[in-house]
Amino acid sequence: MITWPLCAEQFYNEKLAEVVGLGVKVGTEIWNPRFEISSPVLGCETIKEAIERLMMNGSEENLKIREKANAMANLANNAIEEGGSSWNSLVTLIDDIKNFNLS
């Protein structure tokens, strides 16, 4: 994942991706509290470098990111399978809605 935050919670999401080891930062460092973007325009070279870092097969950074991404994909797949945490939460929600009494 290449992160390029501009405003709101996107900087927190970028930090999470960085801490978990799932992403490469493009370089925006200015937080914009609203949708009025005041960050400087990034040059194509900055974006190109981020893409190359992420896609460079065989680099240590690339291998770590791919390993983490595969691990997260496995966790997500386990959660949605029957008996997984997301599956169970959805079944519970459906049961609660079925049993909800409006009167």
Side-chain angles (χ1 to χ4, degrees), residues 68-88:
K68 287 280 189 172
N70 286 329
M72 294 297 276
N74 289 333
L75 288 172
N77 285 329
N78 291 340
I80 63 170
E81 289 178 355
E82 188 169 353
S85 60
S86 292
W87 177 281
N88 292 337

Side-chain angles (χ1 to χ4, degrees), residues 41-79:
V41 175
L42 295 176
C44 63
E45 196 60 36
T46 303
I47 299 165
K48 178 183 171 195
E49 287 172 11
I51 292 169
E52 286 175 349
R53 282 179 56 202
L54 185 65
M55 301 304 292
M56 188 181 303
N57 287 329
S59 74
E60 185 176 333
E61 180 180 32
N62 173 274
L63 294 174
K64 284 182 181 179
I65 290 172
R66 287 177 186 269
E67 183 178 304
K68 287 280 189 172
N70 286 329
M72 294 297 276
N74 289 333
L75 288 172
N77 285 329
N78 291 340

